[in-house]
Amino acid sequence: MGQSNRPRGTTVAGAGTGTSGRSTRCIALIGPFLSGKTTLLEAILARTGGIVRAGSTAEKTTVGDASPEARAHGMSVQLNVADVEFMGDTFTFIDCPGSIEFQHEGAEALTACDAAIVVSEPDPKRVPSLQVILKQLEDRGIPHLLFLNKIDSCQTPIREIIPALQPASTKPLVLRQIPIWENGAATGFIDLALERAFLFRKNEPSEMVEMKAGDFEREKEARFHMLEQLADYDDDLMEKLLSDLPPEKDLVFSDLSREFSDGLICPVLLGSAQNGNGILRLLKALRHEAPFVDATARRLKVENAKSAAYVFKTLYTGHGGKLSLARVLTGSIGDGTTVTGGEANEERAAGVFSMKGEEPVKRGAAEAGDTVALGRLDHVRTGTTITAEKSGIVQIKGPAAPEPVLASGIGLNDRKDEVKLSSALAKLVEEDPSLFVEHNAETHQVLLKGQGEMHLRVSFERLQRKYGVVVERHKRQVPYKETIRKATEIRGRHKKQSGGHGQFGDVVLSIEPQPRGAGFAFGDSITGGVVPKQFIPSVEIGVSDYMKHGPLGFPVVDIAVTLRDGSYHTVDSSDMAFRQAGRLAMSEGMPKCQPVLLEPVMVVDISVPSDATARVNGMIPQRRGQILGFDSRPGWPGWDVVTAHIPSAEIDDLIVELRSATSGVGTYTAKFDHLAELTGRLADQVLSAHGEAAE
């Protein structure tokens, strides 16, 4: 969970309802990488008295990002949860990783959140990253607002920033504030709903001041534009604007709250998390306008359930065992409550906990709205909806895990650790469903697949730190095959005499190439019983045995083998003898058939912003790929999908180059398409490496 263990006064993962009696609201902090989400959480905690003073990500003193991996890499690698009290209300904030490689953590948590704060710098270059995040929120119907962070260092007029960012959102970006400028820097803001001016004070609440004469016209113009946007969803407000009647402030605030909660607009607020500016106004907006858990339960269609909770994170702790982090949506769950999950297995919650760091702290029963950790739900997985009702509950549909884009082989220093590794990998994948473990039957490798280089690096570090398994990373092996170009006919005779019954099998095989993708075919044209029928299947087994490793050392495909002739001995012939004869014939005949190496070729769909399409088109030939075409990405304005054939051997670091070319947002999917001949220098390199590995 990544929270510091030092005494900072912050309760994590559920503290009950606020003093007003209103349920705890759960708010996600999401946004592009390095936009300042963890710093914003720190500023919120400092402003609400949760900590004495805000820590620093640079100094590695923040409440969030306290795990060794986060501190080592200077980035969020898992979600962080903290509760705060503000003006009698309780809020749970979930700080979600910004890197696309770790975003599935946040995607699961978003499912049961009431609203999201999207944190971004006021920079048009952030549009692709913002679009990835905002589209997810829009598709899932989650209310959200945009907090433009680092406004104090912004040099571009806000009237230019908002139109530049608008392509990232299908909902209107409704500016709630405009900056006050002094000597080219933002020193405060004017609240367009309150019609009041405030000056920033570092790590202090903003100071209300008189609006300067030069700001009146700017405020009037910006406020009217905000009201016009709100009036698109309110006929009464539209009528007042058309009649030049000033709308009541209550009407304005009511529209802001309703249209935000209904997901019709994306309000925009300004501030600087680093300096603690704009935090109070952000919290007040959430307090007055963010929906409560009952609205979230309706969105997720569990409002009629007597009890329902959504598990958004699984965590294995050093001493407490398995913990399931869950948001209670209806009813309550207490210590000892028997719950039923998606597989209809009844399990008893062994404690309800708050979290401080990765250590559970026992607490009372969790009510609707609370976010808590439930102990020892061994069969409950991330993404499961649980209930205390014996009849069970319809499962909330959470986000699908993204397809992996990078794989790494796992090697053990000590084979005695195989059982330990298997258990550790199972826990690792349960904690992070965007990881996948594959036991590749063709290459005999165990592969860990994930969302990028940093994702895999952090996962390997966790394997060693949390589970004590020392592993080596190996390059993914490509499942090469081989086939033949010409036909031959060959005799294979197995004869052995060692006293008593001997062994005798004699076959004549024709070996022929087949069209690519036709596979393996075995037949016989035996007449006169020269090879008895009962031995023919054994010949096929011998042929198949050999095909596991052809003359080049790889599995053989796309050949036809026919048993043409042979002979047998009435005493010494047996299934084993004919199996050996078939194998011998193949081993002698295949090298004469011009064997050739085959490599797997994938069909790859690469999704990128349109301004990166030309760069992607340049990458593909460099990877021995062939462009098949490109089209606009359905449902993604300003994005393209480039389709290409690329050899599997050239895909390993494709995601690294893609992300570099697209500010971290490009991605791809790949599936096997066909096998193609590989000759020349590249084939020689593959054969040489394979020979060295076999020694």
Side-chain angles (χ1 to χ4, degrees), residues 26-28 94 109-116 142-143 296 299-300 327 329:
C26 187
I27 310 295
I94 302 180
L110 279 169
T111 303
C113 285
D114 301 316
I142 299 169
T296 303
R299 170 168 61 83
L300 298 174
R327 175 95 193 282
L329 299 165

Side-chain angles (χ1 to χ4, degrees), residues 10 98 104 127 218 228 257 277 294 309 328 354 362 391 413 467 477 500 601:
T10 301
H104 188 66
V127 166
R218 292 176 56 240
E228 281 186 315
S257 177
N277 299 146
D294 56 343
V328 181
S354 299
K362 200 157 189 178
S391 57
N413 290 327
Y467 303 110
Q477 295 177 15
V601 176

Side-chain angles (χ1 to χ4, degrees), residues 357-587:
E358 293 190 349
E359 293 301 318
V361 178
K362 200 157 189 178
R363 52 153 287 166
E367 306 295 332
D370 290 348
T371 302
V372 295
L374 303 172
R376 303 291 178 85
L377 299 181
D378 292 335
H379 297 95
V380 171
R381 300 290 182 261
T382 298
T384 300
T385 312
I386 57 176
T387 179
E389 301 305 306
K390 291 186 177 181
S391 57
I393 192 170
V394 175
Q395 293 294 295
I396 293 168
K397 186 178 180 181
E403 292 290 322
V405 294
L406 191 65
S408 183
I410 303 174
L412 277 173
N413 290 327
D414 190 340
R415 293 186 64 85
K416 291 186 294 185
D417 286 340
E418 285 185 356
V419 174
K420 191 176 179 181
L421 173 64
S422 180
S423 173
L425 287 174
K427 291 178 179 178
L428 198 69
V429 170
E430 194 176 353
E431 287 187 302
D432 183 355
S434 64
L435 285 171
F436 302 84
V437 175
E438 177 189 322
H439 297 264
N440 192 290
E442 294 180 296
T443 62
H444 307 292
Q445 261 191 317
V446 178
L447 297 173
L448 185 63
K449 297 182 172 182
Q451 306 308 314
E453 171 56 34
M454 185 58 71
H455 189 214
L456 290 183
R457 186 183 305 176
V458 167
S459 299
F460 276 96
E461 290 170 2
R462 282 180 180 155
L463 267 179
Q464 182 166 345
R465 177 183 66 86
K466 287 191 72 171
Y467 303 110
V469 183
V470 180
V471 295
E472 295 177 347
R473 287 188 65 176
H474 296 300
K475 188 175 181 180
R476 176 187 66 94
Q477 295 177 15
V478 177
Y480 292 102
K481 303 286 192 297
E482 61 178 276
T483 191
I484 56 175
R485 287 175 170 170
K486 61 177 287 189
T488 192
E489 187 167 284
I490 193 77
R491 178 178 291 275
R493 175 175 288 185
H494 176 66
K495 184 177 182 181
K496 190 173 183 181
Q497 192 71 41
S498 57
H501 288 308
Q503 296 181 34
F504 183 85
D506 177 36
V507 297
V508 176
L509 302 180
S510 69
I511 307 171
E512 300 173 301
Q514 289 225 92
R516 194 70 61 243
F520 167 59
F522 180 85
D524 75 271
S525 57
I526 294 298
T527 58
V530 292
V531 176
K533 287 184 178 180
Q534 69 266 28
F535 295 138
I536 293 176
S538 297
V539 178
E540 182 178 358
I541 292 173
V543 170
S544 298
D545 285 345
Y546 175 82
M547 288 177 59
K548 295 174 184 176
H549 301 283
L552 303 181
F554 296 95
V556 179
V557 296
D558 299 339
I559 66 169
V561 178
T562 305
L563 175 60
R564 300 288 189 192
D565 200 358
S567 62
Y568 74 101
H569 190 278
T570 54
V571 176
D572 292 343
S573 288
S574 65
D575 287 324
M576 181 57 69
F578 274 97
R579 179 172 176 173
Q580 286 294 99
R583 185 180 180 89
L584 282 171
M586 293 295 291
S587 65

Side-chain angles (χ1 to χ4, degrees), residues 129-149:
S129 301
L130 269 177
Q131 187 176 9
V132 171
I133 292 163
L134 291 173
K135 180 168 174 52
Q136 177 186 182
L137 294 166
E138 292 163 358
D139 289 349
R140 301 174 71 184
I142 299 169
H144 53 280
L145 61 82
L146 179 61
F147 181 77
L148 290 183
N149 192 22

